[in-house]
Amino acid sequence: MPELQLGDLAPEFNLIGTGDRWYALEGFLGHPVVLAFYPDDFSPVCTTQLRAYSANIDDFTQLGAVMLGISPQTLSSHESFKDRLGIRFPLLSDRERTVAKAYGVLGPLGFYRRSVFVLDRELHIVYRHVSRAGLTFRSSDELLQAVQKAVA
């Protein structure tokens, strides 16, 4: 599958997530969407990343944006991670890694690459970052700038 490019329509998905509900991308049509793919619940970098995004969630919400965290862990792991850290946005379970494959964020041996996509209101990709090493993450400020451009 060719790499997703800016301007491409984001691949559709329907995943179970925290709150024991299903999240379909098409359900967010009309809102900018931030998709934060992360490798593992409770790992040090993922913990720091999702805490940072959660601390700034009101800034995203004020722009009408929705943030979704996606990783391959189970729903029960996500619920525990979210509750323990006070994460204020849904975490979705991609157990089969089908969404990661569709977005091109699987690394060697099927491990998730830390990646972020920002989608405009029509669900076209306006920002993408796919990490090779995954030891750092994109800042909330950088993502907010991408959302601001998506709504301008």
Side-chain angles (χ1 to χ4, degrees):
M1 171 177 278
E3 185 176 282
L4 292 172
Q5 301 296 318
L6 297 182
D8 287 351
L9 186 62
E12 177 58 40
F13 61 78
N14 191 16
L15 294 173
I16 189 74
T18 51
D20 199 25
R21 72 170 265 220
W22 288 89
Y23 294 84
L25 182 60
E26 68 185 9
F28 300 107
L29 189 64
H31 299 276
V33 179
V34 180
L35 302 175
F37 292 90
Y38 66 100
D40 197 16
D41 292 339
F42 299 106
S43 69
V45 177
C46 295
T47 297
T48 302
Q49 176 186 17
L50 272 61
R51 276 186 172 155
Y53 295 168
S54 186
N56 292 288
I57 198 66
D58 292 338
D59 296 328
F60 289 97
T61 304
Q62 286 176 357
L63 293 170
V66 175
M67 180 170 287
L68 302 171
I70 305 174
S71 76
Q73 285 72 51
T74 63
L75 182 57
S76 62
S77 176
H78 283 344
E79 293 286 6
S80 177
F81 185 53
K82 183 177 182 188
D83 290 346
R84 194 172 306 165
L85 298 178
I87 302 298
R88 299 171 48 211
F89 55 87
L91 303 179
L92 284 52
S93 180
D94 183 23
R95 296 290 296 152
E96 302 299 319
R97 294 173 168 75
T98 55
V99 177
K101 287 176 194 165
Y103 281 79
V105 301
L106 282 183
L109 307 175
F111 291 110
Y112 258 55
R113 292 185 189 275
R114 188 175 316 284
S115 306
V116 181
F117 291 79
V118 176
L119 314 178
D120 67 14
R121 291 181 178 117
E122 289 78 37
L123 307 179
H124 289 93
I125 299 167
V126 296
Y127 171 97
R128 69 181 290 279
H129 181 270
V130 178
S131 176
R132 295 295 170 217
L135 301 176
T136 61
F137 58 91
R138 309 325 292 173
S139 71
S140 292
D141 288 342
E142 183 175 327
L143 300 179
L144 283 164
Q145 288 176 0
V147 171
Q148 287 170 335
K149 288 179 185 175
V151 299

